[in-house]
């Protein structure tokens, strides 16, 4: 059996010196160097990882520079690195930060390539079958190609990914069985090269070029790979390849000159004719067996349904090589056995590590905001399994469909050789895992919770009043790398505990003080109704306030937060304002009602996250309204005050005067983000975005908060991000697709939500 991690064939003829990790090293470009606290954490983590510690924890408070620390760790270890985030937006922010720090290296972006995805499902209680619907984002698909292509062709690769990295891909070997490497002075005829490219599924054309096309005109061959922003132009001479140029897709002006280029297949999933035929036969055999099984159970309807659906798919696969639900047969096309895990992005990291570093385990996974991301990884499989089981039981899919799935949490943990958990508030799973790998005594608060985030693991037992707090557990666990000093000198906010009697009036006076200082306020409450009532009261008292809870459309929330930053509103009253990555330097006050109450949104970790929202402002303060001192409240206050004292001592020693972080204000209603492009470095495969320098971003629309003015009734406009009189549904759909194409997911979701609402508001019969 061939080795699925063998990349040597794909690298034949490559410039060997560029494939050496000692030459193609990770190099940070920054005007800053690590602070003493960051340097200490970096050295501790390197020591742990190099001494074989498989799981590490980096506890970094808000504003301590976790991203910069991660970058320095990558530079020193000099091995391929996967950075995981729990959502696309934060992954995009991390991507931009890492691409800026590593301009000479391959920094890639790998997230789900669907703008919209409705999975196939069956609801037995309603006898309702829901067919699969999807819209693939070509730009994201291009980035996924670029990530895989970089991993298999260079040793200096960083991939920033969502949890989609645990979903199935073809084996690295399958992707690389078909490839073409072109280099200058290569002795090959143009027609010969065209034949090779057609075998990679590229389409030959004589007209305008699009991604996936090739075009031969005399001695010039143009190729546009799916992973590139710009096409390649190959010029031939008498002896073969004369030159390789990266060109502008419109003017064909030369943007870059390459010595070699690795041409990957046009499609992610490719199989040999022999494997394709074998897969069809295996599907037939499984179908016959499952039909017999269903009939023996008296399920004639299910057997008939399965036969019709599968026979149709088989005909499509035979005639056109594809069907709408081809992923359900991936087990057969991959040649996997029942129950065997699918290949995923982690396998490409293993292949890259083996090829360039001599060891398939020589790569690193960094899990950002691990207290959210790890549970999300653990939760992917059960949801997928539940849906697939219904489809299989009721005759919509073959049993092998269940093998097209995300990784089990156990499989994920077994695959990852080195994993760094990064969080300001590490979760129980990460802490227990650290104790297990370092053979430390497990704290009482973790003894009922297994490490790793498995779906069948018992949850943390309900804590008794005398149970250990997170503060106590963190104090008793060794080998946690800590960054509790901010290089900026900003202090943790001061904390004031006040009684609940007269709390609204007290809050109003505090808010007015912040308004005079041009600062903003966040207020956290326990219920939706209370949030709305507080916001309404504040508005009546002349304060521009708005509530924020689950009743607000997903992306409208971002509009509201942006409105707070630029001063269109002064206060947000919300249920859960501890959003990871929420960075609002203008916030000078955080007020928490019912601070002593404990539950899902009120525990030590969430209180610390919420308190941290005031740590970007030099005048940051927190008011906890409570008549009692709860356990979580006490622990959160203790940690915050201890860190404040540490920071004060550091500032005094180094002569630092804290200053509020300066951050560019958002442009309401017109926030076109830089389109994700391939990394700027590396002249072999991925080049910087070229093409036209204008006309590539979404049009500036005068919608949403972009239409707001500084008036007293501004709050009434917040709930109307897009006015129906401005754009029709068709125009909104067009803008939604444009925003999605440019990876502005927040804006795309805003349009989607408005379209949904307008459809609901349509009169019956439209």
């Amino acid at each position: 059996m061939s080795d699925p991690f063998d990349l040597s064939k794909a690298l034949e003829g490559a410039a060997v010196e560029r494939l050496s990790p000692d030459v193609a090293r990770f190099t940070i470009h920054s005007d800053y160097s690590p602070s003493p606290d960051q340097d200490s954490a970096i050295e501790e983590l390197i020591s742990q990882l190099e001494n074989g510690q498989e799981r590490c924890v980096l506890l970094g408070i808000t504003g301590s520079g976790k991203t910069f620390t991660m970058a320095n760790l990558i530079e020193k270890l000099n091995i391929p690195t996967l950075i995981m985030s729990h959502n696309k937006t934060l992954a995009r922010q991390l991507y931009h930060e890492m691409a800026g720090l590593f301009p000479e290296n391959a920094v890639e972006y790998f997230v789900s390539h669907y703008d919209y995805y409705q999975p196939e499902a069956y609801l037995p209680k309603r006898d309702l079958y829901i067919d699969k619907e999807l819209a693939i984002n070509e730009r994201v698909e291009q980035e996924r190609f670029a990530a895989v292509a970089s991993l298999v062709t260079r040793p200096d690769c960083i991939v920033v990914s969502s949890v989609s990295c645990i979903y199935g891909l073809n084996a690295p070997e399958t992707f690389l069985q078909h490839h073409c490497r072109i280099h200058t002075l290569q002795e090959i005829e143009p027609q010969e090269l065209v034949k090779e490219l057609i075998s990679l599924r590229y389409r030959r054309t004589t007209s305008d070029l699009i991604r996936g096309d090739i075009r031969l005109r005399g001695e010039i061959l143009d190729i546009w790979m799916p992973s590139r922003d710009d096409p390649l132009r190959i010029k031939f001479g008498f002896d073969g390849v004369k030159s390789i140029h990266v060109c502008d897709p419109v003017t064909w002006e030369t943007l870059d000159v390459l010595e070699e280029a690795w041409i990957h297949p046009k499609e992610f999933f490719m199989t040999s004719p022999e494997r394709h035929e074998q897969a069809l036969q295996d599907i037939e055999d499984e179908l016959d067996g499952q039909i017999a099984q269903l009939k023996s159970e008296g399920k004639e309807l299910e057997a008939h349904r399965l036969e019709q659906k599968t026979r149709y798919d088989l005909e499509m696969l035979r005639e056109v090589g594809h069907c709408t639900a081809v992923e359900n047969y991936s087990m057969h096309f991959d040649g996997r056995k029942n129950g065997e895990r699918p290949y995923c992005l982690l396998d490409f990291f293993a292949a890259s590590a083996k090829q360039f570093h001599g060891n398939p385990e020589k790569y690193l996974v960094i899990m950002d905001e691990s207290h959210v991301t790890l549970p999300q990884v653990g939760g992917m499989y059960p949801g997928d399994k539940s849906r697939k089981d219904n489809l299989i039981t009721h005759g919509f899919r073959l049993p092998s469909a269940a093998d097209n799935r995300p990784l089990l949490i156990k499989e994920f943990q077994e695959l990852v050789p080195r994993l760094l958990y990064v969080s300001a508030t590490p979760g129980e799973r990460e802490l227990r895992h650290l104790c297990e790998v370092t053979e430390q005594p497990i704290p009482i608060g973790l003894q009922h919770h297994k490490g790793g985030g498995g779906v069948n693991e018992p949850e943390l037992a309900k804590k008794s009043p005398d149970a250990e707090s997170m503060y106590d557990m963190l104090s008793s666990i060794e080998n946690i790398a800590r960054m509790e000093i901010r290089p900026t000198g900003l202090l943790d906010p001061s904390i004031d505990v006040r009684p609940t009697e007269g709390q609204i009036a007290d809050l109003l006076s505090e808010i007015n003080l912040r308004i005079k200082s041009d600062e903003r306020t966040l207020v956290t409450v326990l219920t939706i109704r209370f949030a709305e009532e507080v916001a309404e009261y504040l508005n009546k008292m002349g304060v521009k306030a708005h509530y924020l809870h689950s009743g607000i459309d997903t992306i409208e929330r971002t509009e509201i937060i942006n409105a707070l930053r630029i001063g269109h509103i002064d206060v947000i009253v919300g249920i859960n304002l501890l959003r990871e990555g929420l960075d609002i330097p203008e916030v000078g006050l955080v007020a928490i009602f019912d601070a002593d109450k404990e539950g899902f949104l009120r525990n030590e970790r969430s209180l610390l996250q919420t308190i941290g929202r005031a740590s970007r402002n030099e005048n940051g303060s927190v008011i906890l309204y409570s008549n009692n001192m709860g356990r979580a409240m006490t622990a959160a206050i203790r940690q915050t005050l201890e860190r404040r004292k540490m920071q004060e001592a550091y500032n005094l020693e180094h002569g630092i005067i804290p200053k509020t972080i300066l951050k560019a204000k958002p442009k309401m209603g017109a926030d076109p983000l830089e389109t994700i492009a391939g990394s700027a470095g590396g002249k072999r495969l991925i080049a910087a975005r070229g093409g036209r320098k204008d006309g590539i971003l979404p049009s500036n629309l005068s919608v949403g908060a972009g239409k707001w003015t500084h008036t007293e009734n501004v709050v009434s406009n917040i709930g109307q991000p897009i006015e129906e009189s401005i754009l029709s549904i068709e125009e909104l759909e067009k803008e939604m697709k444009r925003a999605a194409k440019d990876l502005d997911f927040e804006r795309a979701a805003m349009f989607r939500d408005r379209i949904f609402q307008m459809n609901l508001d349509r009169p019956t019969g439209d």
Side-chain angles (χ1 to χ4, degrees):
M1 184 176 177
S2 58
D3 182 1
F5 303 118
D6 183 12
L7 308 185
S8 57
K9 292 182 180 178
L11 300 173
E12 289 174 358
V16 179
E17 66 277 4
R18 277 291 303 159
L19 301 182
S20 168
D22 295 327
V23 177
R25 293 189 60 86
F26 287 106
T27 305
I28 290 177
H29 287 242
S30 174
D31 296 331
Y32 303 97
S33 56
S35 67
D37 207 38
Q38 291 172 336
D39 207 34
S40 174
I42 292 165
E43 292 303 321
E44 184 176 354
L45 290 171
I46 287 175
S47 174
Q48 291 174 0
L49 291 166
E50 290 185 343
N51 287 320
Q53 186 172 315
E54 298 174 354
R55 298 295 181 267
C56 304
V57 173
L58 171 61
L59 188 158
I61 63 173
T62 303
S64 60
K66 293 189 287 291
T67 303
F68 190 57
T69 300
M70 287 189 276
N72 278 273
L73 185 66
I74 293 169
E75 181 184 49
K76 291 182 182 294
L77 290 174
N78 197 41
I79 56 177
T81 302
L82 170 66
I83 302 175
M84 294 179 65
S85 179
H86 61 282
N87 68 48
K88 287 182 178 182
T89 302
L90 290 183
R92 184 180 64 208
Q93 291 174 8
L94 275 169
Y95 164 82
H96 281 298
E97 291 174 7
M98 286 294 172
L101 289 168
F102 293 102
E104 296 177 359
N105 306 108
V107 181
E108 308 295 353
Y109 181 67
F110 189 95
V111 298
S112 169
H113 58 311
Y114 299 116
D115 286 335
Y116 169 76
Y117 183 63
Q118 169 61 60
E120 182 183 28
Y122 177 68
L123 308 178
K125 289 184 179 179
R126 297 172 58 188
D127 190 25
L128 176 64
Y129 171 75
I130 303 171
D131 204 356
K132 182 178 76 172
E133 290 184 39
L134 58 86
I136 290 179
N137 187 315
E138 291 182 6
R139 182 66 185 176
V140 179
E141 180 78 349
Q142 176 193 353
E143 290 304 318
R144 289 166 65 91
F145 260 115
V148 170
S150 289
L151 278 171
V152 299
T153 57
R154 55 189 301 170
D156 56 334
C157 189
I158 299 170
V159 178
V160 181
S161 172
S162 64
V163 295
S164 63
C165 63
I166 69 171
Y167 281 78
L169 291 174
N170 266 40
E173 177 204 38
T174 306
F175 186 72
L176 295 170
Q177 279 176 344
H178 310 277
H179 67 274
C180 179
R181 180 170 294 280
I182 305 169
H183 58 87
T184 53
L185 304 181
Q186 181 179 357
E187 296 181 3
I188 189 171
E189 293 293 324
Q191 290 293 348
E192 241 181 280
L193 188 52
V194 167
K195 285 180 183 178
E196 284 191 40
L197 294 171
I198 289 175
S199 71
L200 300 184
R201 307 283 176 86
Y202 283 85
R203 182 180 73 102
R204 186 172 183 179
T205 182
T206 56
S207 58
D208 291 340
L209 212 64
I210 60 173
R211 287 190 181 89
D213 282 358
I214 59 173
R215 180 178 61 197
L216 180 63
R217 292 175 174 174
E219 301 300 307
I220 294 177
L221 175 63
D222 298 324
I223 307 167
W224 201 345
M225 289 189 287
S227 65
R228 295 198 63 106
D229 282 311
D230 313 298
L232 300 178
R233 172 158 282 181
I234 316 296
K235 294 184 179 180
F236 292 86
F238 290 110
D239 299 323
V241 177
K242 182 179 178 182
S243 61
I244 304 171
H245 299 260
V246 179
C247 298
D248 183 289
V250 178
T251 64
W252 288 92
E253 171 191 358
T254 297
L255 302 175
D256 205 349
V257 179
L258 310 180
E259 293 182 1
E260 58 179 0
W262 182 80
I263 312 297
H264 59 70
K266 179 186 175 182
E267 299 172 6
F268 251 124
F269 299 96
M270 296 188 68
T271 57
S272 64
E274 297 77 20
R275 179 69 255 168
H276 188 270
E277 283 303 315
Q278 184 60 51
L280 296 182
Q281 184 58 53
D282 292 343
I283 295 170
E284 289 263 19
D285 294 343
E286 185 185 11
L287 175 62
D288 293 339
Q290 184 66 4
I291 289 174
Q293 176 67 29
L294 290 171
K295 286 183 176 179
S296 70
E297 297 172 0
K299 296 182 177 180
E300 296 290 338
L301 173 62
E302 287 81 357
H304 175 70
R305 180 187 286 156
L306 180 64
E307 183 168 21
Q308 275 196 322
K309 203 169 190 62
T310 310
R311 296 284 180 205
Y312 175 78
D313 286 347
L314 283 168
E315 284 303 311
M316 291 295 292
L317 288 167
R318 285 195 178 95
E319 294 300 321
V320 299
H322 189 270
C323 68
T324 55
V326 66
E327 70 277 1
N328 288 298
Y329 307 109
S330 63
M331 185 191 86
H332 298 295
F333 285 103
D334 289 351
R336 290 184 281 121
K337 296 177 181 178
N338 184 261
E340 191 176 348
R341 71 165 183 86
Y343 289 102
C344 63
L345 189 67
L346 293 169
D347 291 298
F348 283 85
F349 270 93
S352 180
K354 179 181 178 182
Q355 177 64 44
F356 303 116
H357 298 268
N359 183 348
E361 294 189 350
K362 206 166 183 181
Y363 69 92
L364 175 67
V365 176
I366 299 176
M367 187 174 284
D368 192 37
E369 303 293 359
S370 60
H371 64 284
V372 180
T373 310
L374 185 58
Q376 191 180 81
V377 171
M380 293 295 102
Y381 174 80
D384 183 80
K385 184 178 187 302
S386 175
R387 180 176 60 84
K388 293 279 180 59
D389 285 350
N390 273 337
L391 290 168
I392 293 166
T393 302
H394 294 88
F396 290 95
R397 287 294 161 204
L398 293 171
S400 60
D403 287 296
N404 170 49
R405 58 175 176 82
L407 297 179
L408 286 160
I409 188 66
K410 182 181 178 183
E411 293 169 336
F412 171 79
Q413 293 287 12
E414 288 174 350
L415 272 178
V416 177
R418 296 174 179 85
L419 178 56
L420 171 62
Y421 298 115
V422 178
S423 175
T425 54
E428 287 87 354
R429 296 170 175 86
E430 301 99 279
L431 295 176
R432 177 170 178 122
H433 210 163
L434 177 65
C435 291
E436 289 172 346
V437 299
T438 56
E439 299 182 347
Q440 297 182 57
I442 297 175
I444 296 172
L446 300 179
Q447 289 181 7
H448 298 284
H449 198 295
K450 294 184 180 179
V455 296
N456 295 318
E457 297 170 356
E459 287 300 316
L460 189 64
K462 189 174 181 180
K463 295 174 181 171
S464 60
D466 59 344
E468 287 180 297
S469 67
M470 188 181 77
Y471 175 86
D472 295 324
M473 289 189 289
L474 289 172
S475 301
S476 65
I477 298 174
E478 298 178 353
N479 296 339
I480 297 177
R482 298 170 183 267
M483 293 196 309
E484 298 176 295
I485 299 294
R486 297 181 179 88
T488 58
L490 283 169
L491 302 170
D492 278 84
S494 60
I495 297 180
D496 193 1
V497 180
R498 299 183 184 179
T500 58
E501 185 178 353
Q503 59 187 0
I504 300 295
D506 182 73
L507 174 63
L508 178 61
S509 64
E510 292 289 344
I511 289 171
N512 285 325
L513 289 175
R514 298 318 187 280
I515 291 174
K516 288 179 183 177
S517 303
D518 192 29
E519 294 174 353
R520 316 289 180 261
T521 301
L522 299 179
V523 182
T524 303
V525 299
L526 284 179
T527 67
I528 290 176
R529 183 176 179 180
F530 192 33
E532 294 177 351
E533 287 175 349
V534 171
E536 183 181 358
Y537 171 78
L538 292 174
N539 277 299
K540 286 179 179 178
M541 301 306 292
V543 174
K544 293 179 288 187
H546 201 275
Y547 53 82
L548 188 68
H549 54 64
S550 58
I552 301 292
D553 288 341
T554 306
I555 305 309
E556 192 178 339
R557 299 178 197 180
T558 303
E559 288 282 288
I560 294 170
I561 291 169
N562 288 343
L564 181 81
R565 287 206 58 213
I566 63 179
H568 284 189
I569 56 178
D570 299 310
V571 181
I572 292 179
V573 186
I575 309 299
N576 180 12
L577 294 176
L578 58 87
R579 286 179 46 190
E580 290 74 15
L582 182 61
D583 181 6
I584 311 176
E586 295 78 15
V587 170
L589 172 65
V590 171
I592 303 176
F593 287 156
D594 299 304
D596 59 322
K597 300 293 191 298
E598 294 191 32
F600 173 63
L601 295 179
R602 279 296 163 79
N603 54 40
E604 186 180 345
R605 184 173 297 106
S606 64
L607 279 175
L608 281 170
Q609 289 279 359
T610 306
I611 289 169
R613 298 316 104 200
S615 62
R616 300 280 186 176
N617 191 296
E618 61 188 271
N619 301 316
S621 62
V622 175
I623 299 175
L624 305 177
Y625 289 103
S626 171
N627 293 326
N628 303 298
M629 288 293 291
R631 182 193 57 82
M633 188 175 158
T634 302
I637 292 173
R638 183 162 46 160
Q639 287 190 65
T640 303
L641 295 183
E642 281 189 7
R643 290 170 178 173
R644 185 178 174 90
K645 287 180 181 177
M646 289 169 58
Q647 187 73 56
E648 285 174 336
Y650 178 84
N651 291 352
L652 185 63
E653 181 183 347
H654 295 84
I656 297 175
I657 299 175
K659 290 290 182 185
T660 300
I661 292 174
L662 296 177
K663 183 180 177 183
K665 298 288 180 71
K667 295 179 181 179
M668 298 303 299
D671 188 23
L673 298 173
E674 178 188 350
T675 305
I676 301 297
S679 14
K683 291 192 174 183
R684 294 188 305 106
L685 181 68
I686 308 299
R689 181 180 175 86
R692 292 167 289 180
K693 302 298 184 288
D694 55 10
I696 60 172
L697 296 174
S699 302
N700 292 341
L701 300 176
S702 298
V703 298
K707 290 185 67 64
W708 297 353
T709 56
H710 292 275
T711 61
E712 290 302 313
N713 64 349
V714 66
V715 178
S716 64
N717 293 323
I718 299 177
Q720 302 171 12
I722 303 172
E723 293 184 15
E724 194 169 340
S725 59
I726 297 176
L727 296 174
S728 66
I729 289 179
E730 290 73 21
E731 289 170 322
L732 287 171
E733 287 178 344
K734 215 175 272 186
E735 294 303 332
M736 177 185 72
K737 290 176 181 176
R738 186 185 304 176
K741 183 177 180 182
D742 289 317
L743 297 193
D744 191 347
F745 304 116
E746 295 180 348
R747 192 163 183 76
M750 179 180 69
F751 288 125
R752 177 204 64 198
D753 291 340
R754 185 57 186 153
I755 292 167
F756 178 75
Q757 186 59 48
M758 288 174 69
N759 279 323
L760 288 180
D761 294 341
R762 276 184 170 180
T764 305
D766 279 7

